[in-house]
PDB file of all heavy atoms in Angstrom:
ATOM      1  N   ARG L  49     -71.938 172.974 167.975  1.00  0.00           N
ATOM      2  CA  ARG L  49     -72.964 172.712 166.891  1.00  0.00           C
ATOM      3  C   ARG L  49     -72.301 171.800 165.894  1.00  0.00           C
ATOM      4  O   ARG L  49     -71.114 171.812 165.633  1.00  0.00           O
ATOM      5  CB  ARG L  49     -73.350 174.039 166.243  1.00  0.00           C
ATOM      6  CG  ARG L  49     -74.154 174.843 167.204  1.00  0.00           C
ATOM      7  CD  ARG L  49     -74.656 176.184 166.660  1.00  0.00           C
ATOM      8  NE  ARG L  49     -75.385 176.804 167.673  1.00  0.00           N
ATOM      9  CZ  ARG L  49     -76.694 176.644 167.927  1.00  0.00           C
ATOM     10  NH1 ARG L  49     -77.404 175.873 167.127  1.00  0.00           N
ATOM     11  NH2 ARG L  49     -77.327 177.323 168.938  1.00  0.00           N
ATOM     12  N   MET L  50     -73.229 171.005 165.294  1.00  0.00           N
ATOM     13  CA  MET L  50     -72.744 170.022 164.265  1.00  0.00           C
ATOM     14  C   MET L  50     -72.241 170.829 163.007  1.00  0.00           C
ATOM     15  O   MET L  50     -72.873 171.772 162.549  1.00  0.00           O
ATOM     16  CB  MET L  50     -73.911 169.160 163.800  1.00  0.00           C
ATOM     17  CG  MET L  50     -74.374 168.255 164.840  1.00  0.00           C
ATOM     18  SD  MET L  50     -73.169 166.960 165.353  1.00  0.00           S
ATOM     19  CE  MET L  50     -73.160 165.961 163.889  1.00  0.00           C
ATOM     20  N   PRO L  51     -71.133 170.292 162.452  1.00  0.00           N
ATOM     21  CA  PRO L  51     -70.691 170.968 161.190  1.00  0.00           C
ATOM     22  C   PRO L  51     -71.748 170.752 160.098  1.00  0.00           C
ATOM     23  O   PRO L  51     -72.397 169.758 160.046  1.00  0.00           O
ATOM     24  CB  PRO L  51     -69.421 170.166 160.841  1.00  0.00           C
ATOM     25  CG  PRO L  51     -69.192 169.139 161.872  1.00  0.00           C
ATOM     26  CD  PRO L  51     -70.314 169.206 162.876  1.00  0.00           C
ATOM     27  N   GLY L  52     -71.976 171.763 159.281  1.00  0.00           N
ATOM     28  CA  GLY L  52     -72.919 171.686 158.161  1.00  0.00           C
ATOM     29  C   GLY L  52     -74.343 172.056 158.624  1.00  0.00           C
ATOM     30  O   GLY L  52     -74.788 173.079 158.215  1.00  0.00           O
ATOM     31  N   SER L  53     -74.888 171.235 159.486  1.00  0.00           N
ATOM     32  CA  SER L  53     -76.331 171.438 159.859  1.00  0.00           C
ATOM     33  C   SER L  53     -76.425 172.501 160.876  1.00  0.00           C
ATOM     34  O   SER L  53     -77.520 173.181 160.959  1.00  0.00           O
ATOM     35  CB  SER L  53     -76.942 170.114 160.406  1.00  0.00           C
ATOM     36  OG  SER L  53     -76.438 169.808 161.647  1.00  0.00           O
ATOM     37  N   GLY L  54     -75.381 172.694 161.672  1.00  0.00           N
ATOM     38  CA  GLY L  54     -75.517 173.698 162.774  1.00  0.00           C
ATOM     39  C   GLY L  54     -76.432 173.203 163.930  1.00  0.00           C
ATOM     40  O   GLY L  54     -76.697 173.959 164.876  1.00  0.00           O
ATOM     41  N   ARG L  55     -76.800 171.996 163.925  1.00  0.00           N
ATOM     42  CA  ARG L  55     -77.657 171.408 165.006  1.00  0.00           C
ATOM     43  C   ARG L  55     -76.907 171.404 166.275  1.00  0.00           C
ATOM     44  O   ARG L  55     -75.681 170.996 166.337  1.00  0.00           O
ATOM     45  CB  ARG L  55     -78.030 169.957 164.606  1.00  0.00           C
ATOM     46  CG  ARG L  55     -79.494 169.721 164.728  1.00  0.00           C
ATOM     47  CD  ARG L  55     -79.854 168.213 164.458  1.00  0.00           C
ATOM     48  NE  ARG L  55     -80.201 167.583 165.654  1.00  0.00           N
ATOM     49  CZ  ARG L  55     -79.902 166.376 165.999  1.00  0.00           C
ATOM     50  NH1 ARG L  55     -79.103 165.653 165.195  1.00  0.00           N
ATOM     51  NH2 ARG L  55     -80.371 165.852 167.097  1.00  0.00           N
ATOM     52  N   PRO L  56     -77.495 171.908 167.398  1.00  0.00           N
ATOM     53  CA  PRO L  56     -76.817 171.998 168.683  1.00  0.00           C
ATOM     54  C   PRO L  56     -76.621 170.638 169.322  1.00  0.00           C
ATOM     55  O   PRO L  56     -77.511 169.741 169.160  1.00  0.00           O
ATOM     56  CB  PRO L  56     -77.697 172.877 169.522  1.00  0.00           C
ATOM     57  CG  PRO L  56     -79.042 172.687 169.009  1.00  0.00           C
ATOM     58  CD  PRO L  56     -78.872 172.434 167.511  1.00  0.00           C
ATOM     59  N   PHE L  57     -75.516 170.395 170.005  1.00  0.00           N
ATOM     60  CA  PHE L  57     -75.322 169.192 170.816  1.00  0.00           C
ATOM     61  C   PHE L  57     -76.204 169.417 172.090  1.00  0.00           C
ATOM     62  O   PHE L  57     -76.497 170.539 172.484  1.00  0.00           O
ATOM     63  CB  PHE L  57     -73.866 169.149 171.308  1.00  0.00           C
ATOM     64  CG  PHE L  57     -72.817 168.734 170.317  1.00  0.00           C
ATOM     65  CD1 PHE L  57     -72.763 169.225 169.051  1.00  0.00           C
ATOM     66  CD2 PHE L  57     -71.851 167.766 170.696  1.00  0.00           C
ATOM     67  CE1 PHE L  57     -71.765 168.810 168.105  1.00  0.00           C
ATOM     68  CE2 PHE L  57     -70.907 167.324 169.790  1.00  0.00           C
ATOM     69  CZ  PHE L  57     -70.879 167.851 168.520  1.00  0.00           C
ATOM     70  N   SER L  58     -76.570 168.311 172.688  1.00  0.00           N
ATOM     71  CA  SER L  58     -77.245 168.421 174.011  1.00  0.00           C
ATOM     72  C   SER L  58     -76.332 168.672 175.115  1.00  0.00           C
ATOM     73  O   SER L  58     -76.656 169.150 176.205  1.00  0.00           O
ATOM     74  CB  SER L  58     -78.220 167.247 174.268  1.00  0.00           C
ATOM     75  OG  SER L  58     -77.529 166.039 174.261  1.00  0.00           O
ATOM     76  N   VAL L  59     -75.099 168.269 174.896  1.00  0.00           N
ATOM     77  CA  VAL L  59     -74.017 168.474 175.887  1.00  0.00           C
ATOM     78  C   VAL L  59     -73.458 169.853 175.758  1.00  0.00           C
ATOM     79  O   VAL L  59     -73.232 170.232 174.629  1.00  0.00           O
ATOM     80  CB  VAL L  59     -72.903 167.350 175.732  1.00  0.00           C
ATOM     81  CG1 VAL L  59     -71.736 167.615 176.674  1.00  0.00           C
ATOM     82  CG2 VAL L  59     -73.444 165.951 175.932  1.00  0.00           C
ATOM     83  N   ARG L  60     -73.246 170.544 176.803  1.00  0.00           N
ATOM     84  CA  ARG L  60     -72.538 171.827 176.688  1.00  0.00           C
ATOM     85  C   ARG L  60     -71.110 171.642 177.197  1.00  0.00           C
ATOM     86  O   ARG L  60     -70.836 170.775 177.947  1.00  0.00           O
ATOM     87  CB  ARG L  60     -73.271 172.890 177.555  1.00  0.00           C
ATOM     88  CG  ARG L  60     -74.655 173.246 176.794  1.00  0.00           C
ATOM     89  CD  ARG L  60     -75.244 174.457 177.440  1.00  0.00           C
ATOM     90  NE  ARG L  60     -75.673 174.240 178.754  1.00  0.00           N
ATOM     91  CZ  ARG L  60     -75.736 175.140 179.755  1.00  0.00           C
ATOM     92  NH1 ARG L  60     -75.226 176.321 179.482  1.00  0.00           N
ATOM     93  NH2 ARG L  60     -76.198 174.855 180.883  1.00  0.00           N
ATOM     94  N   MET L  61     -70.182 172.506 176.712  1.00  0.00           N
ATOM     95  CA  MET L  61     -68.787 172.187 176.878  1.00  0.00           C
ATOM     96  C   MET L  61     -67.988 173.368 177.256  1.00  0.00           C
ATOM     97  O   MET L  61     -68.323 174.580 177.010  1.00  0.00           O
ATOM     98  CB  MET L  61     -68.199 171.660 175.551  1.00  0.00           C
ATOM     99  CG  MET L  61     -68.800 170.343 175.109  1.00  0.00           C
ATOM    100  SD  MET L  61     -68.130 169.837 173.478  1.00  0.00           S
ATOM    101  CE  MET L  61     -69.080 168.272 173.311  1.00  0.00           C
ATOM    102  N   SER L  62     -66.821 173.153 177.831  1.00  0.00           N
ATOM    103  CA  SER L  62     -65.704 174.100 178.019  1.00  0.00           C
ATOM    104  C   SER L  62     -64.491 173.297 178.033  1.00  0.00           C
ATOM    105  O   SER L  62     -64.506 172.100 177.805  1.00  0.00           O
ATOM    106  CB  SER L  62     -65.949 174.953 179.218  1.00  0.00           C
ATOM    107  OG  SER L  62     -64.922 176.001 179.304  1.00  0.00           O
ATOM    108  N   ASN L  63     -63.341 173.891 178.279  1.00  0.00           N
ATOM    109  CA  ASN L  63     -62.071 173.193 178.305  1.00  0.00           C
ATOM    110  C   ASN L  63     -61.069 173.760 179.276  1.00  0.00           C
ATOM    111  O   ASN L  63     -61.122 174.895 179.632  1.00  0.00           O
ATOM    112  CB  ASN L  63     -61.348 173.349 176.912  1.00  0.00           C
ATOM    113  CG  ASN L  63     -62.114 172.605 175.767  1.00  0.00           C
ATOM    114  OD1 ASN L  63     -61.841 171.431 175.495  1.00  0.00           O
ATOM    115  ND2 ASN L  63     -63.062 173.274 175.070  1.00  0.00           N
ATOM    116  N   PHE L  64     -60.148 172.895 179.731  1.00  0.00           N
ATOM    117  CA  PHE L  64     -58.940 173.281 180.459  1.00  0.00           C
ATOM    118  C   PHE L  64     -57.757 173.109 179.448  1.00  0.00           C
ATOM    119  O   PHE L  64     -57.774 172.203 178.690  1.00  0.00           O
ATOM    120  CB  PHE L  64     -58.742 172.301 181.595  1.00  0.00           C
ATOM    121  CG  PHE L  64     -59.621 172.359 182.771  1.00  0.00           C
ATOM    122  CD1 PHE L  64     -60.388 171.228 183.162  1.00  0.00           C
ATOM    123  CD2 PHE L  64     -59.616 173.451 183.632  1.00  0.00           C
ATOM    124  CE1 PHE L  64     -61.191 171.291 184.261  1.00  0.00           C
ATOM    125  CE2 PHE L  64     -60.475 173.509 184.738  1.00  0.00           C
ATOM    126  CZ  PHE L  64     -61.202 172.426 185.007  1.00  0.00           C
ATOM    127  N   GLY L  65     -56.739 173.873 179.790  1.00  0.00           N
ATOM    128  CA  GLY L  65     -55.472 173.550 179.048  1.00  0.00           C
ATOM    129  C   GLY L  65     -55.174 174.489 177.860  1.00  0.00           C
ATOM    130  O   GLY L  65     -56.049 175.365 177.503  1.00  0.00           O
TER     131      GLY L  65
END
Side-chain angles (χ1 to χ4, degrees):
R49 292 179 181 274
M50 294 295 288
S53 72
R55 231 182 110 219
F57 284 49
S58 59
V59 176
R60 290 193 289 144
M61 300 180 177
S62 187
N63 290 270
F64 287 119

